[in-house]
Amino acid sequence: MKLRVFNIIKNTKTEGPKNRYCIWVQGCSRHCKGCQAVHTWAHDKGDLYDVNSIISDIIKTSNMYNIEGVTFLGGEPFEQAEALGIIAEEVQKNGLSVVCFTGGKYEELKENLVNKKLLDNTDLLIDGEFIQELADYSRAWCGSSNQRYIFLTDRYNESIVKQYKNKVEINISKNGQIFMNGMGNFEEILRKVDLAELKL
């Protein structure tokens, strides 16, 4: 089975508890106003990855970087729930946690049997569309006040959320491509970067 992917960062500290292997899926039909990831909307872009090769890389990487778990973002992960469910199940078998972001609501997602394996193997679900009018970056990993933490296992609870604050990482690839990830007001961050450059 294949997974359409926008980007993978194999070791990040901004997308959930501790060090995480993060997969940004490609494709989202929600198109939230003010979304900071519009480049992940198109369903015909990104790269196709074999699910088994991703699983192998996660396991290898977890040993290299002391990875706590895997995070699925997007894009909309539940538009590729079958492939991600396979990855999540294998990740759990190897003792790693799963955090999944979605623009959907848990109550609706669990009504669709296609989502069952992914939900059954997710420890922390962060649900709800980004609503620009409710923008709020005061809570870890959330961008608007309507978004919720749904603890689907006993691996995490509210106490883990209180240990973290939103932050942003900037990654530069070998070919010079810059990728900013994490949670925050990216427009404000970029504006400050531009102002800093003007002062040099």
Side-chain angles (χ1 to χ4, degrees), residues 28-33 41 76 79 102-105 108-109 129:
C28 180
S29 302
R30 296 185 180 278
H31 298 186
C32 301
K33 178 184 175 185
W41 288 0
E76 172 51 61
E79 291 185 14
T102 178
K105 290 188 177 180
E108 297 169 358
L109 294 171
E129 293 189 352

Side-chain angles (χ1 to χ4, degrees), residues 113-147:
L113 287 177
V114 174
N115 299 330
K116 180 173 171 49
K117 184 176 284 190
L118 179 52
L119 288 172
D120 285 350
N121 290 283
T122 294
D123 298 292
L124 170 58
L125 182 74
I126 299 176
D127 81 342
E129 293 189 352
F130 173 73
I131 299 177
Q132 191 171 36
E133 293 76 16
L134 299 178
D136 177 6
Y137 302 103
S138 65
R139 297 179 301 144
W141 316 311
C142 289
S144 56
S145 59
N146 61 296
Q147 294 172 327

Side-chain angles (χ1 to χ4, degrees), residues 153-170:
T153 69
D154 59 6
R155 183 158 190 159
Y156 299 126
N157 55 44
E158 285 286 350
S159 66
I160 195 74
V161 176
K162 295 174 183 176
Q163 296 176 35
Y164 291 88
K165 292 184 178 180
N166 282 332
K167 56 185 176 181
V168 170
E169 290 177 347
I170 298 176

